[in-house]
Amino acid sequence: MSKKLTWLICGAVFLGLGGVSVYASVNHTPATNQDTKKAHQKTANSKRTIQSTSDTTSNKTVRSSSSIATKNNTGMNLTQIQAHDFSSVIGTWVNPTGDTFIFNKSGLLSRSHAGQTTPKEKVYLDKVKAEDGMLKAEIGADPLPTEGASILVPLYFIPKGVAFSGSSDKSQDRIYSGQQFGEQNIYTLQKEVSTTDTSAANSLSNVDKQALALLGLPSGFVSDYGDLSVNTILSGKSNVTSNAFDSAHVDVNNGKISDVTFSGVTIALDGAKNIVKLNNVPSNIDNTTYNQGYFTISGDMITYKNQGTRVSGAEQDALAETVGNKNLSSLYAQYKSNPKFEQIKKLITE
């Protein structure tokens, strides 16, 4: 084969391979672009899927947050409180004696005891414990004294549904503060009163106001026979003091009795005082009492006191012990549709 022919064949082969190479190159690039586009499409789809999932999750989160936010308006949120956010307990919390805690979003705004505002205090969460379904914190002076002992009192945040030995009512959120368990140390959120209810409460008859005052009787209030509560009035049976005596049955325990039956209450007026006494007690029952409960109503404020019976006049008034304060309008808003309101009114004799 001549050199010329050899060079021609080699050239043709070279050109052929080059063409294949060029073809492959030309056709490979679009393939790569297509794959890239597909990859981008897949990534975009993936991103959309992720975004969709994220949006769904976000929506769920939003709904959940919204739900929590809604709950915060009516329910206690321990997680938020532990994070120093008191939004879920904003408002006035009151115990049976009328003492109050007032919270804003940042914490304790003010506190009152026996009608007097106490020095500035703070909720301390340094040693907070979340256990038994409640948040156990402490309350003390703000700031704490730098010298001497710092007095910190237990303060528990108790959501509704959680059992607590000091409280019989699990149907609502509660705050406990004190050294001893008992209803007198349990605070519940005071409902906001509308201007309509406030106006209606101011226009009530005297017996209506007296009935509401009886419905709001605080722990520790006494009648002329012993401790008195609204449930005692409705039941018609009261515990009595150790001085109670049954003259018709002196052969039984020397006439000593532990309880007495009655029907309704008599409210004796002494100036501004509404003195509460048991009505229709059997005539053979006698009781010498040294304390007597009464309440006064001044505008929207009801004040409950126990006074001694061995003194009188200015001395008696000065020594009277305040056992609680309530707002007439709040009691009206609470009981206006409650059957107990009418029941108690029927049991009052002036």
Side-chain angles (χ1 to χ4, degrees):
M1 184 180 294
S2 65
K3 290 182 179 180
K4 184 176 182 181
L5 180 60
T6 299
W7 281 107
L8 286 172
I9 293 172
C10 288
V13 172
F14 176 79
L15 288 173
L17 290 172
V20 172
S21 177
V22 170
Y23 175 81
S25 176
V26 170
N27 285 279
H28 181 261
T29 302
T32 302
N33 289 341
Q34 187 173 0
D35 288 345
T36 302
K37 286 180 180 178
K38 286 180 179 179
H40 287 169
Q41 181 77 22
K42 188 173 182 181
T43 302
N45 289 338
S46 176
K47 284 182 178 179
R48 280 196 294 271
T49 302
I50 293 171
Q51 181 63 42
S52 176
T53 303
S54 176
D55 288 343
T56 303
T57 303
S58 176
N59 287 336
K60 286 181 179 177
T61 302
V62 168
R63 283 194 294 271
S64 176
S65 297
S66 176
S67 176
I68 290 172
T70 301
K71 288 180 180 178
N72 286 350
N73 291 331
T74 57
M76 186 178 285
N77 188 311
L78 301 186
T79 302
Q80 287 184 339
I81 296 171
Q82 197 165 5
H84 299 267
D85 179 355
F86 293 82
S87 299
S88 64
V89 292
I90 288 175
T92 300
W93 296 74
V94 61
N95 72 358
T97 63
D99 298 337
T100 62
F101 285 114
I102 301 178
F103 286 90
N104 62 11
K105 183 177 181 180
S106 301
L108 185 63
L109 189 61
S110 67
R111 180 185 182 186
S112 71
H113 176 69
Q116 301 295 319
T117 301
T118 61
K120 185 170 175 58
E121 293 183 310
K122 176 182 176 181
V123 177
Y124 288 91
L125 299 169
D126 311 60
K127 300 177 182 178
V128 68
K129 295 180 181 178
E131 59 184 18
D132 301 324
M134 65 190 79
L135 198 65
K136 298 180 178 180
E138 295 175 310
I139 185 172
D142 181 24
L144 290 173
T146 56
E147 297 181 359
S150 298
I151 300 176
L152 292 173
V153 178
L155 184 79
Y156 296 173
F157 294 92
I158 312 164
K160 63 181 178 181
V162 174
F164 183 65
S165 59
S167 170
S168 59
D169 186 3
K170 297 194 297 182
S171 67
Q172 55 186 330
D173 295 331
R174 290 142 291 159
I175 292 176
Y176 160 79
S177 181
Q179 301 290 3
Q180 296 180 335
F181 295 144
E183 292 288 346
Q184 72 276 9
N185 290 328
I186 297 294
Y187 295 72
T188 55
L189 186 62
Q190 185 172 291
K191 295 180 180 179
E192 292 185 8
V193 181
S194 67
T195 53
T196 302
D197 283 343
T198 300
S199 177
N202 289 333
S203 303
L204 291 174
S205 67
N206 191 50
V207 69
D208 283 342
K209 292 180 179 180
Q210 290 174 335
L212 288 173
L214 292 176
L215 286 167
L217 286 176
S219 174
F221 186 87
V222 298
S223 71
D224 52 336
Y225 275 82
D227 291 340
L228 188 66
S229 69
V230 64
N231 289 331
T232 300
I233 297 173
L234 292 172
S235 71
K237 188 174 183 177
S238 172
N239 292 330
V240 295
T241 68
S242 59
N243 296 316
F245 179 77
D246 183 356
S247 60
H249 298 90
V250 291
D251 55 325
V252 180
N253 197 29
N254 294 320
K256 294 291 184 180
I257 57 175
S258 59
D259 54 58
V260 66
T261 57
F262 66 99
S263 176
V265 295
T266 296
I267 296 183
L269 299 179
D270 180 10
K273 299 177 183 178
N274 293 264
I275 302 173
V276 184
K277 299 182 177 182
L278 302 188
N279 198 19
N280 298 316
V281 175
S283 59
N284 55 290
I285 304 298
D286 185 34
N287 182 56
T288 302
T289 180
Y290 300 113
N291 283 294
Q292 175 64 66
Y294 71 88
F295 60 84
T296 60
I297 302 175
S298 178
D300 192 50
M301 178 61 69
I302 305 172
T303 302
Y304 301 88
K305 293 187 176 185
N306 290 332
Q307 64 182 8
T309 59
R310 290 190 261 191
V311 292
S312 60
E315 185 180 4
Q316 185 182 55
D317 294 341
L319 295 175
E321 175 194 8
T322 300
V323 292
N325 296 281
K326 295 289 177 71
N327 293 107
L328 187 68
S329 56
S330 296
L331 289 170
Y332 176 73
Q334 181 180 355
Y335 288 104
K336 63 181 179 181
S337 301
N338 192 314
K340 285 184 178 181
F341 189 14
E342 292 299 323
Q343 292 171 15
I344 287 293
K345 279 200 295 183
K346 292 177 181 179
L347 293 174
I348 296 175
T349 300
E350 290 187 281

